[in-house]
């Protein structure tokens, strides 16, 4: 593959590139030119591009190297690891190997180079070893002195044991008195005393290998991470802090299972009750406080309030193991204690609907399985007794309730489906289909008149009232068009007023059931609020007309038909991926697929901005006054943090911008794209002015990114969890991970690397767990991680060992998209991508 290199056999090597020197390469009139070190252009003999090193500039010289007689290798000065270069070696040269080593030493600015070693400490003694034994090694160290020499010499040392248990050779160099400025990215307390610090430029191969590299298996592939020369000591004990849920934002409001239209209640205390992910939330508007029930291990899909309004039945979806089976929990709204758990192993994919009986004081609970047969079951929940079950065989079931005047009569409804189920004493069910096939009308909501007549609403906008005749058969008493399109919610108020809500026309209409459903009044929600998803009276039993409205855009409004509606809670409407924390305030920002970017101060909503694109990444400028968002269509959006106004929209590329990040000084922003490239922009005016600077081309989609503390390097994680390094000054990938091992990183958002290796292959959870997000605390003593199964884990930092212990919470069913510490490390924010739930955690002492 080197047939076309014009080198004669006596030419041992040709310099390919010398980092840290300004090297320029170009082609003029078909002839390659090279100017290493910025010393002017020099003519080089023409050559064709090498298959092995297509981006390498051409070596000079004459003659021809035969196939496999040349190799491109990286050589590193062992006394100064910042001096390194790539050379093309002619393995068939007649020059002695020792002379070639001296010549290579001159290239690396070292006199008397006598020895060459691999990264693992094995000495290279001949060209034949390079051809055969070390054919797959591409990085070598050069050292001076002879075996057994004195200071600065080479000695044999068992650096690490190979499988043969034979001692390896290693280079020991004199440690100079150089001092390097302390990295500002780590607090002083975590450093060794000043006199004991070994500086980056001073280390030798013995120091390089005094600690074993870490090997981690991710998605079936082994990866090796090299230890920095200095880091905080390993501590595998669990951290002294634990996570306590402080605030849940109702982001996924209204999208839970087939019974999702019944998801907002008001407790006797006046608290709003709703559910987000695996958490039931009780929100006290007056006190601006929340309480949480966290007994579930997977997403809550349905919920119902006991007739006493002091207990709740909630059903969850099924997870992947025995601990997360689908089941129903009965719990107290006063004490938040779990009273009963039943149905373990009875539900296939989850509980799609749940409801208490009415007449007997809520002693029975019905449940519908979310599996293919949609099995309806009835339970006497105090004892966990199954009273009977029947397969409804309905694919799209939207709800199930007990009849308020008969505890043995249940009604299920859905697409082309309205069925009465009468449970006999022997446990069998008699089925009566009110809507006959082939009707495809979707029954979306169901209510009852005081005398037991059934009111239904459908997706065509009609409300239908069914009465029963003297023979017990139901018939249509009346039907009328209530909304332009679908009716999503029905509520019968105590004085006989029926409220209906439209999810498409955004209308709420009041009907008088005592006067043949004559329209009383109507109101329409603002377009920004969304359509009606659910309605619930603010004070059940009172006739003041005040209601809560849950919308299709995940907002909760309060008001009445006579006055305007006010927003109680803002929520993102769709998937939520973007999260950034303010550098010096208890403020964080979120961005989602609903094209909303929102700013929060802990549990207070500050502002929201509607932009033109779906956003998936966010970053605050180091001064905190500007916020950058990356869109799915390749746009960089700049926002004024203080006012919530749009500053600029910049087209970067045509691929999603999965990571954005400012360097520590705030004068540059790096944007990592799913096309594999990194785009660099110069930043001025405190983050309000941007000018395109450069692009570093890559090939694999990038998902995480960190700047180095000196702004010279970037580290990124690919979609396949490869850790890649990039030199910002030379605009090139850095292919030698060992050369990057002592770089200090401004942030640690990358999920792979030596200092976070313990979150992978951890012995305390499945080896197959995929870590989707990680972040280091501001004090560099804690590490938060989230995985694709919805687990959030708090480790000590650094986390080096697979035996590292942690504190764990499970409130998400799917991938945890992002987790970040607030600037003072007192709180933690997490978002779940498709789950869309945003949660604020308080870090408390154990």
């Amino acid at each position: 593959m080197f047939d076309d290199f014009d080198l004669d056999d006596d030419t041992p090597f040709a310099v390919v590139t010398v980092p840290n020197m300004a090297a320029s390469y170009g082609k003029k009139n078909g002839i390659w030119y090279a100017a290493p070190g910025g010393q002017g252009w020099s003519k080089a003999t023409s050559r064709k591009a090498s298959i092995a090193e297509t981006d390498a500039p051409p070596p000079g010289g004459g003659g021809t190297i035969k196939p496999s007689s040349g190799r491109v290798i990286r050589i590193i000065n062992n006394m100064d690891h910042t001096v390194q270069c790539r050379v093309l070696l002619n393995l068939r040269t007649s020059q002695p190997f020792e002379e070639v080593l001296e010549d290579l030493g001159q290239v690396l600015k070292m006199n008397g180079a006598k020895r060459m070693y691999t990264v693992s400490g094995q000495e290279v003694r001949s060209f034949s070893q390079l051809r055969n034994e070390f054919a797959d090694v591409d990085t070598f160290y050069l050292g001076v002195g002879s075996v057994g020499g004195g200071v600065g010499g080479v000695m044999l040392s068992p650096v690490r044991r190979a499988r043969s248990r034979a001692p390896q050779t290693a280079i020991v160099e004199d440690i100079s008195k150089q001092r390097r400025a302390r990295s500002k990215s780590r607090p002083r307390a975590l450093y060794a005393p000043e006199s004991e610090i070994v500086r980056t430029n001073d280390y030798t191969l013995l120091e390089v290998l005094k600690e074993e590299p870490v090997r981690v298996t991710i998605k079936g592939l082994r990866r090796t991470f090299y230890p920095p020369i200095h880091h905080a000591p390993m501590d595998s004990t669990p951290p002294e802090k634990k996570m306590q849920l402080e605030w849940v934002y109702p982001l996924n409001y209204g999208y839970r299972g087939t019974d999702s239209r019944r998801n907002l209640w008001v407790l006797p205390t006046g608290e709003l009750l709703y559910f987000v992910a695996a958490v039931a939330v009780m929100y006290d508007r007056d006190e601006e406080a929340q309480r949480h029930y966290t007994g579930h291990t997977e997403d809550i899909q349905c919920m119902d309030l006991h007739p006493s309004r002091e207990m709740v039945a909630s059903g969850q979806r099924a997870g992947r193991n025995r601990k997360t089976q689908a089941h129903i929990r009965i719990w107290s709204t006063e004490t938040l204690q779990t009273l009963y758990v039943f149905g373990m192993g009875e539900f296939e994919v989850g509980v799609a609907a749940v409801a208490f009986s009415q007449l007997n004081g809520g002693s029975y609970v019905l449940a519908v399985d979310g599996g293919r047969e949609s099995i309806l079951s009835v339970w006497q929940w105090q004892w966990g007794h199954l009273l009977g079950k029947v397969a409804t065989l309905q694919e799209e079931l939207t709800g199930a309730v007990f009849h308020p005047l008969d505890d043995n009569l249940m009604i299920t409804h859905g697409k082309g489906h309205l069925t009465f189920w009468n449970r006999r004493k022997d446990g069998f069910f008699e089925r009566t289909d009110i809507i006959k096939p082939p009707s495809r009308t979707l029954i979306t909501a169901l209510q009852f008149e005081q005398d037991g007549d059934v009111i239904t609403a459908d997706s065509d906008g009609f409300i239908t009232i069914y009465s029963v005749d003297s023979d017990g058969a139901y018939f249509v008493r009346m039907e009328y068009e209530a909304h332009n399109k679908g009716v999503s919610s029905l509520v019968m108020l105590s004085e006989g007023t029926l409220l209906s809500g439209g999810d498409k026309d955004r209308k709420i209409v009041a009907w008088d059931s005592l006067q043949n459903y004559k329209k009383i009044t109507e109101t329409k929600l603002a377009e920004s609020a969304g359509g009606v998803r659910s309605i619930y009276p603010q004070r059940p039993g009172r006739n003041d007309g005040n209601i809560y409205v849950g919308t299709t855009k995940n907002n909760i409004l309060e008001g009445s038909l006579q006055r305007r509606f006010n927003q109680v809670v803002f929520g993102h409407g769709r998937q939520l991926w973007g999260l950034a924390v303010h550098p010096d305030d208890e403020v964080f920002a979120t961005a989602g697929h609903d094209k909303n970017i929102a700013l929060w101060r802990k549990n207070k909503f500050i502002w929201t901005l509607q932009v033109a694109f779906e956003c998936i990444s966010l970053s605050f400028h180091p001064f905190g006054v500007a916020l950058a968002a990356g869109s799915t269509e390749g746009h960089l959006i700049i926002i004024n943090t203080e006012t919530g106004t749009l500053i600029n929209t910049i087209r970067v590329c045509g691929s999603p911008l999965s990571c954005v990040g400012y360097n520590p000084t705030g004068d540059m922003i790096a944007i990592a794209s799913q096309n594999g490239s990194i785009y660099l922009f110069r930043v001025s005016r405190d983050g309000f002015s941007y000018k395109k600077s450069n692009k570093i081309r890559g090939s694999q989609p990038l998902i995480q990114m960190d700047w180095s503390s000196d702004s010279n390097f970037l580290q990124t994680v690919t979609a396949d969890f490869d850790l890649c390094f990039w030199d910002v000054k030379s605009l090139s990938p850095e292919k030698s991970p060992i050369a990057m091992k002592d770089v200090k990183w401004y942030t640690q958002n990358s999920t792979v690397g030596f200092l976070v290796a313990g979150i992978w292959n951890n012995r305390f959870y499945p080896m197959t767990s995929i870590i989707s997000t990680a972040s280091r605390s501001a004090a560099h003593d804690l590490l938060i991680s989230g995985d694709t199964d919805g687990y959030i884990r708090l480790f000590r930092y650094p986390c080096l060992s697979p035996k590292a212990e942690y504190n764990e919470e499970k409130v998400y069913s799917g991938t945890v998209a992002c987790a970040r510490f607030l600037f003072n490390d007192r709180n933690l924010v997490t978002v779940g991508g498709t789950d869309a739930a945003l949660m604020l955690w308080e870090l408390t002492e154990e």
Side-chain angles (χ1 to χ4, degrees):
M1 57 184 170
F2 291 87
D3 284 8
D4 298 311
F5 288 114
D6 297 327
L7 298 173
D8 62 44
D9 284 345
D10 291 328
T11 304
F13 65 90
V15 178
V16 176
T17 179
V18 183
N20 304 315
M21 303 180 193
S24 304
Y25 299 96
K27 202 171 188 182
K28 217 172 190 182
N29 301 325
I31 300 174
W32 280 93
Y33 287 81
Q39 299 166 359
W41 293 97
S42 62
K43 185 172 180 180
T45 314
S46 65
R47 60 162 258 203
K48 294 179 185 174
S50 158
I51 296 171
E53 199 67 34
T54 53
D55 62 340
T64 301
I65 297 181
K66 297 179 180 62
S68 75
S69 64
R71 280 192 57 201
V72 175
I73 64 171
R74 180 188 295 273
I75 54 174
I76 300 175
N77 182 332
N78 189 53
M79 290 183 290
D80 185 355
H81 287 203
T82 62
V83 179
Q84 48 182 274
C85 73
R86 280 151 75 203
V87 298
L88 173 67
L89 276 185
N90 177 3
L91 301 182
R92 297 190 183 278
T93 180
S94 57
Q95 191 177 0
F97 185 70
E98 291 73 24
E99 289 182 22
V100 172
L101 291 184
E102 287 186 16
D103 292 344
L104 288 173
Q106 295 301 314
V107 174
L108 294 180
K109 301 179 183 178
M110 58 191 297
N111 294 322
K114 295 275 178 62
R115 293 286 185 268
M116 177 186 281
Y117 293 87
T118 66
V119 173
S120 59
Q122 295 169 287
E123 185 175 0
V124 184
R125 299 177 184 274
S126 66
F127 288 119
S128 64
Q129 277 185 296
L130 283 173
R131 271 198 304 270
N132 303 313
E133 186 177 349
F134 304 121
D136 57 347
V137 178
D138 61 0
T139 301
F140 298 88
Y141 287 80
L142 289 188
V144 297
S146 57
V147 175
V151 175
V154 180
M155 71 175 186
L156 295 175
S157 171
V159 179
R160 68 180 180 90
R161 294 186 176 180
R163 290 177 184 170
S164 63
R165 302 285 179 184
Q168 309 278 329
T169 55
I171 302 172
V172 181
E173 301 293 355
D174 213 9
I175 294 178
S176 71
K177 300 288 186 272
Q178 263 184 289
R179 286 289 175 261
R180 224 172 118 250
R182 180 190 303 278
S183 164
K184 293 180 181 176
S185 69
R186 279 179 91 154
R188 298 181 68 90
L190 292 182
Y191 280 84
E194 188 73 15
S195 58
E196 297 177 15
I197 294 178
V198 181
R199 299 297 165 184
T200 306
N201 290 355
D202 306 336
Y203 60 62
T204 66
L205 196 57
L206 184 62
E207 271 81 30
V208 170
L209 296 172
K210 72 179 182 183
E211 189 172 0
E212 286 278 342
V214 168
R215 289 172 179 82
V216 173
T217 301
I218 304 174
K219 287 190 170 181
L221 296 175
R222 279 179 74 77
R223 291 162 172 82
T224 301
F225 303 117
Y226 295 98
I229 199 69
H230 172 76
H231 61 77
M234 182 173 73
D235 185 348
S236 294
T237 61
E240 294 168 357
K241 298 284 180 73
K242 65 177 181 179
M243 298 172 284
Q244 184 171 332
L245 197 55
E246 182 173 328
W247 200 264
V248 177
Y249 305 81
L251 295 178
N252 214 23
Y253 183 84
Y255 300 97
R256 278 288 173 261
T258 52
D259 199 24
S260 62
R261 286 162 185 81
R262 299 176 66 240
N263 55 11
L264 179 62
W265 297 264
V266 178
L267 299 177
T269 57
E271 293 170 297
L272 277 164
L273 169 66
Y274 52 87
F275 53 92
V276 177
V279 182
V281 183
M282 284 137 284
Y283 171 41
D284 187 331
R285 288 181 57 206
D286 297 331
E287 298 292 329
E288 276 296 315
Q290 282 187 354
R291 297 186 298 137
H292 307 104
Y293 175 73
T294 56
H296 284 279
T297 54
E298 280 289 338
D299 275 11
I300 300 172
Q301 290 190 294
C302 55
M303 194 182 281
D304 194 29
L305 191 59
H306 191 268
S308 69
R309 298 173 66 209
E310 294 175 354
M311 289 181 289
V312 172
S314 49
Q316 74 172 49
R317 57 170 279 180
R320 299 184 184 180
N321 52 47
R322 287 189 61 195
K323 290 182 182 177
T324 57
Q325 290 182 87
H327 63 270
I328 296 170
R329 306 178 85 87
I330 311 288
W331 50 276
S332 165
T333 57
E334 185 179 347
T335 64
L336 302 183
Q337 295 295 311
T338 302
L339 306 177
Y340 299 93
V341 177
F342 59 93
M344 287 282 190
E346 288 286 338
F347 302 102
E348 188 179 344
V349 297
V351 185
V354 66
F356 282 106
S357 59
Q358 300 294 314
L359 202 62
N360 62 10
S363 295
Y364 296 168
V365 166
L366 69 75
V368 178
D369 184 6
R372 282 184 305 171
E373 294 184 335
S374 295
I375 294 174
L376 169 68
S377 55
V378 181
W379 304 76
Q380 189 167 27
W381 56 267
Q382 291 98 327
W383 309 105
H385 290 169
L386 178 61
L387 302 179
K389 62 181 180 179
V390 61
T392 67
L393 304 176
Q394 298 301 320
E395 292 179 5
E396 294 185 43
L397 209 75
T398 54
V401 292
F402 280 96
H403 194 284
L405 304 180
D406 188 347
D407 290 328
N408 291 314
L409 181 61
M410 288 134 280
I411 304 172
T412 58
H413 58 87
K415 190 166 187 177
H417 164 69
L418 178 62
T419 303
F420 286 55
W421 305 87
N422 190 31
R423 187 177 66 86
R424 303 190 318 215
K425 289 186 178 179
D426 57 8
F428 285 94
F429 290 80
E430 293 177 351
R431 173 177 184 156
T432 305
D433 289 312
I434 306 300
I435 296 181
K436 301 287 193 295
S439 170
R440 303 305 294 161
T441 301
L442 177 64
I443 305 297
T444 54
L446 189 143
Q447 279 289 302
F448 298 93
E449 290 186 350
Q450 286 187 340
D451 60 1
D453 282 3
V454 178
I455 310 165
T456 65
D458 61 41
S459 57
D460 297 325
F462 285 85
I463 291 177
T464 308
I465 294 90
Y466 295 89
S467 289
V468 65
D469 60 20
S470 56
D471 297 327
Y474 278 85
F475 65 94
V476 176
R477 191 177 94 210
M478 71 175 294
E479 184 176 55
Y480 62 95
E481 187 172 4
H483 293 266
N484 293 339
K485 291 186 179 176
V487 183
S488 57
S489 181
L490 289 177
V491 172
M492 180 64 79
L493 302 179
S494 56
E495 79 277 15
T497 300
L498 178 72
L499 298 181
S500 63
D503 57 357
K504 295 291 190 298
D505 63 8
R506 309 195 307 278
K507 287 184 179 179
I508 301 172
V509 187
W511 313 89
D512 190 343
S513 67
L514 305 178
Q515 295 190 30
N516 222 23
Y517 291 93
K518 177 184 174 183
K519 183 189 285 190
I520 302 171
T521 185
E522 71 173 47
T523 188
K524 189 173 184 176
L525 302 182
E527 187 175 354
S528 59
V532 179
R533 175 66 77 180
S534 58
I535 303 172
Y536 205 88
Q538 284 192 30
R539 299 172 184 85
R542 293 195 194 174
N543 297 332
D544 58 8
N546 292 318
I547 57 173
Y548 286 115
V549 180
T551 75
T552 55
K553 289 191 176 179
N554 293 351
N555 300 316
I556 301 178
L557 313 177
E558 62 91 22
S560 71
L561 275 69
Q562 285 74 35
R563 59 185 177 89
R564 62 193 292 265
F565 282 88
N566 301 309
Q567 182 171 278
V568 177
V569 184
F570 164 79
H572 283 280
R574 296 172 61 195
Q575 294 185 25
L576 186 67
W577 294 93
L579 172 66
V581 292
H582 196 281
D584 52 22
D585 199 357
E586 290 184 323
V587 167
F588 61 93
T590 54
H593 280 199
D594 60 355
K595 303 181 182 177
N596 275 320
I597 297 174
L599 192 72
W600 314 79
R601 180 178 296 280
K602 292 189 73 173
N603 59 350
K604 298 281 196 311
F605 169 67
I606 300 175
W607 55 251
T608 180
L609 174 67
Q610 181 91 27
V611 295
F613 307 100
E614 299 177 356
C615 294
I616 53 174
S617 56
L618 281 175
S619 179
F620 276 97
H621 188 274
F623 300 163
V625 292
L627 179 68
S631 85
T632 56
E633 297 175 35
H635 297 83
L636 182 68
I637 299 163
I638 309 301
I639 298 158
N640 185 325
T641 307
E642 293 169 353
T643 62
T645 54
L646 183 67
I647 301 294
N648 200 358
T649 300
I650 305 163
R651 172 78 169 173
V652 178
C653 63
S655 300
L657 306 181
S658 47
C659 317
V660 293
Y662 292 93
N663 68 347
T665 54
D667 59 5
M668 186 176 285
I669 187 171
I671 304 151
S673 169
Q674 286 190 18
N675 65 19
S677 296
I678 294 178
Y679 301 85
L680 300 170
F681 283 75
R682 290 279 171 201
V683 181
S684 56
R685 294 181 51 239
D686 295 347
F688 290 162
S689 181
Y690 293 77
K691 183 178 180 182
K692 191 165 187 178
S693 171
N694 279 300
K695 171 184 175 182
I696 312 177
R697 194 177 298 277
S699 57
Q700 296 188 66
L702 304 175
I703 57 173
Q704 289 138 16
M705 179 177 69
D706 295 298
W707 275 96
S708 64
S709 297
D710 58 11
S711 299
N712 290 333
F713 300 99
L714 290 163
Q715 69 174 358
T716 59
V717 178
T718 71
D720 290 329
F721 295 95
D722 291 320
L723 185 61
C724 304
F725 302 102
W726 313 78
D727 189 326
V728 175
K729 292 205 174 343
S730 68
L731 301 175
S732 61
E734 172 54 65
K735 294 182 179 176
S736 172
I738 199 165
M740 301 295 296
K741 68 186 187 62
D742 286 300
V743 173
K744 305 291 184 193
W745 297 105
Y746 178 50
T747 56
Q748 179 64 60
N749 297 333
S750 297
T751 53
V752 293
F754 182 84
L755 296 175
V756 297
I759 62 179
W760 294 93
N761 305 164
N762 194 288
R763 66 186 293 182
F764 301 114
Y765 51 85
M767 188 168 173
T768 53
S769 293
I770 300 297
I771 310 300
S772 53
T773 183
S775 189
R776 182 184 65 194
S777 65
H780 294 222
D781 58 348
L782 296 173
L783 179 73
I784 187 69
S785 78
D787 68 14
T788 53
D789 293 322
Y791 286 91
I792 303 166
R793 299 184 177 100
L794 186 67
F795 295 85
R796 290 185 185 271
Y797 180 87
C799 181
L800 309 178
S801 167
K803 298 178 182 178
E805 297 180 65
Y806 49 84
N807 293 324
E808 176 185 272
E809 295 290 340
K810 170 83 164 80
V811 291
Y812 293 98
S813 62
T815 299
V816 181
C818 197
R820 295 287 183 266
F821 292 92
L822 291 192
F823 86 105
N824 56 13
D825 292 347
R826 291 181 194 155
N827 294 90
L828 184 69
V829 189
T830 58
V831 298
T834 51
D835 188 289
L838 170 62
M839 301 190 188
L840 180 72
W841 306 80
E842 185 182 8
L843 294 177
T844 59
E845 297 292 336
E846 278 277 29

